[in-house]
Amino acid sequence: QVQLVESGGGLVQAGGSLRLSCAASGLTFSDYAMGWFRQAPGKARESVATISRSGRFTRYAESVKGRFTISRDNAKNTVYLQMNSLEPEDTAVYYCAAARTVITTLERDFGSWGQGTQVTVSS
């Protein structure tokens, strides 16, 4: 059974940084592309960043390019999201997800999801 557990969320002031982690178990981690998604109150869930199985390729939403960095450590079965220069608009529940493919940004390709971690950015 695939399990994804996010951590690292919290409350931060605008301009600050947070690093999210997602520990995966129950899967061959290197067989899966990984992604971070977020859902703000009253809004649809959106893709934030995705990373290929090897970590060589990444994709970012335009709204976070240059501020967020996705990375992975296949030896530790963990994917990270470094978030810098945070803005109040980044406030959301952040979800980690796994897709059994090389790389994808399509939410429908992600079959396993974590429970989410809250990120709140105050102005």
Side-chain angles (χ1 to χ4, degrees):
Q1 181 180 355
V2 177
Q3 188 172 14
L4 303 174
V5 180
E6 302 98 335
S7 61
L11 173 64
V12 64
Q13 288 188 333
S17 298
L18 283 174
R19 188 194 196 202
L20 305 183
S21 299
C22 172
S25 60
L27 77 170
T28 303
F29 188 66
S30 58
D31 285 348
Y32 288 75
M34 300 298 296
W36 287 97
F37 293 76
R38 67 185 181 186
Q39 187 167 22
K43 295 187 177 181
R45 188 161 58 188
E46 62 175 350
S47 174
V48 175
T50 58
I51 188 166
S52 64
R53 295 186 298 196
S54 67
R56 181 178 179 185
F57 301 105
T58 56
R59 300 287 186 271
Y60 295 94
E62 285 296 325
S63 59
V64 307
K65 278 184 180 178
R67 300 189 298 122
F68 291 10
T69 302
I70 187 171
S71 62
R72 65 189 295 162
D73 185 337
N74 285 354
K76 295 183 178 180
N77 285 9
T78 302
V79 62
Y80 305 96
L81 185 68
Q82 178 67 43
M83 305 185 294
N84 299 328
S85 302
L86 282 161
E87 304 169 351
E89 292 74 22
D90 297 316
T91 295
V93 177
Y94 283 71
Y95 298 91
C96 169
R100 194 164 186 178
T101 185
V102 176
I103 187 168
T104 180
T105 61
L106 300 176
E107 185 172 335
R108 65 173 181 259
D109 290 337
F110 289 85
S112 300
W113 294 80
Q115 82 288 351
T117 185
Q118 177 71 45
V119 171
T120 303
V121 184
S122 63
S123 58

